[in-house]
Structure formats: structure tokens, C-alpha cells
Amino acid sequence: MYCEECKVRPATVHLTQIINGQTMQTHLCEQCAAKKGASMFNLNIEPGFSIPNLLGTLFGNVYNMQEVSTPAVLSTTCPNCGMSFERIRQTGKLGCSECYSAFARELEPTLRRVHGNSQHIGKIPKRGGGKVMLKKKIEELKSRLQKAVAREEYEKAAEIRDEIKRLEKEME
């Protein structure tokens, strides 16, 4: 899909406006979005504005506030793809799925701040969503059961076990 303004570059910014119950969608490239954003909201957007730069600053600001930006942290690399944390801060993009594990300590505060949680929950489909919810609840209870057993809270563990059995019967 091409930009609706210039009709040359691919549309990478998708705006949805709802005014008096009517939905209007606009698909723009980064350059046209920056121009439109400046005129729509009277913003002074820098010429170097881009979504990756925006994401990169989210990672950078957390570390400036917490003073964790040590050279050792910035120079560590993902063992799978070789991406450095410094590069992640610059681009706002991770190199591979292993980057989440390699930089877990560094990414955790940013993910919590941006998403409100550091664990992906995802959307639940309307059809069949009940089973998905039950599965997630059972997984959570199994995790709580293991923790209760580790803390030697056997009465609590028995309650959790019974709840798991009840939910598993509902699944059938």
C-alpha cells in the first residue's frame, strides 16, 4: 500500500480518526506523516523523525534515568544474532527472538513502561476464547502450585490442585 499523500513511498503510518461515530483511516509514509502531524497538532517535528528513532529513544531514556548505560551493558551482544544493546537503543528494533533473553534485564523496565507489563498476553479470539482463557488460567495455577510446593505451603497447594482439576474437567 502506498502513501495516500505522495503516492510514491510505502505507507508505514496508519492513522484512524473517529469523529461523531464516523471512522476515517489515513495511510501515510513517515515523511508525509511527520508533515501532517506538524500541521494537525502544531508540532515541531525534526526532519530526522522516524518510528525506529522514536522506539530507540524509549530504550535510551530509561537507561539515562536509571544510570544503567554502562559501556559493559551497551557493548554486550546477543549470542544468536550478534545485535548489541547499543544498536537496539539506536534502532528500537531487536535482532531476533533470542535478544529478549539476552537483554532481559535491560529490556524489562522499558517493556513495563510502554506496555504496562513485560509478559505478552495477546488477544483472545471471540470464538473459542473460553477454552483459551481456561488454558491460561490452568497454566497460571500450575505455576502457583509449583511455587506453593517450593515454599512448603501444602494446604494452599492442595487448594490450587483441586482448582486445576475442576478447570480441567470444564475443558472436556
Side-chain angles (χ1 to χ4, degrees), residues 21-118:
Q22 292 210 333
T23 304
M24 292 176 28
Q25 291 188 336
T26 309
H27 308 283
L28 305 168
C29 64
E30 287 182 8
Q31 290 87 349
C32 292
K35 289 177 195 168
K36 262 233 191 272
S39 64
M40 283 173 41
F41 304 110
N42 287 332
L43 299 175
N44 185 13
I45 297 176
E46 296 178 24
F49 170 79
S50 71
I51 300 302
N53 287 347
L54 174 66
L55 293 173
T57 59
L58 288 176
F59 291 115
N61 289 343
V62 168
Y63 295 101
N64 292 339
M65 288 188 302
Q66 295 181 349
E67 297 178 12
V68 182
S69 295
T70 61
V73 169
L74 296 176
S75 64
T76 54
T77 60
C78 173
N80 188 46
C81 68
M83 176 79 85
S84 70
F85 189 69
E86 177 62 28
R87 182 85 173 124
I88 292 170
R89 283 184 58 186
Q90 290 170 356
T91 64
K93 297 179 184 177
L94 282 77
C96 69
S97 61
E98 293 297 314
C99 287
Y100 287 100
S101 300
F103 301 112
R105 189 176 142 266
E106 291 83 11
L107 294 174
E108 179 92 18
T110 302
L111 293 174
R112 282 192 182 280
R113 189 167 50 86
V114 172
H115 297 292
N117 196 347
S118 62

